[in-house]
């Protein structure tokens, strides 16, 4: 379901306002399996889109600079 939802989200062109979350340290978080979930959801995505969803949008929201 997450993969379908993410593709729909990106198709609707709202990637600039979206974050990929792991929700750590909650019981249903992706801790220990985040890489696999990220690859499943973003495996076919362009590197720039992956970076935007995984890092840049969160950094902008938090007003943190990224390298």
């Amino acid at each position: 379901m997450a993969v379908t939802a993410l593709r729909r989200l990106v198709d609707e062109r709202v990637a600039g306002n979206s974050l990929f979350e792991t929700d750590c340290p909650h019981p249903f978080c992706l801790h220990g399996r985040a890489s696999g979930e990220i690859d499943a959801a973003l495996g076919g995505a362009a590197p720039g889109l992956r970076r935007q969803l995984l890092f840049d949008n969160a950094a902008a929201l938090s007003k943190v600079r990224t390298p």
Side-chain angles (χ1 to χ4, degrees):
M1 167 129 47
V3 174
T4 303
L6 180 61
R7 286 188 184 136
R8 182 173 175 207
L9 180 74
V10 172
D11 287 345
E12 292 177 6
R13 308 283 187 225
V14 294
N17 295 314
S18 304
L19 306 172
F20 189 99
E21 57 86 21
T22 58
D23 212 17
C24 192
H26 301 287
F28 299 108
C29 73
L30 299 178
H31 179 71
R33 65 188 206 314
S35 314
E37 294 291 331
I38 290 168
D39 288 341
L42 300 174
L49 178 60
R50 286 177 63 106
R51 180 180 169 90
Q52 181 182 15
L53 293 172
L54 296 171
F55 302 105
D56 294 340
N57 290 345
L61 181 65
S62 303
K63 297 182 171 78
V64 174
R65 289 183 173 203
T66 59

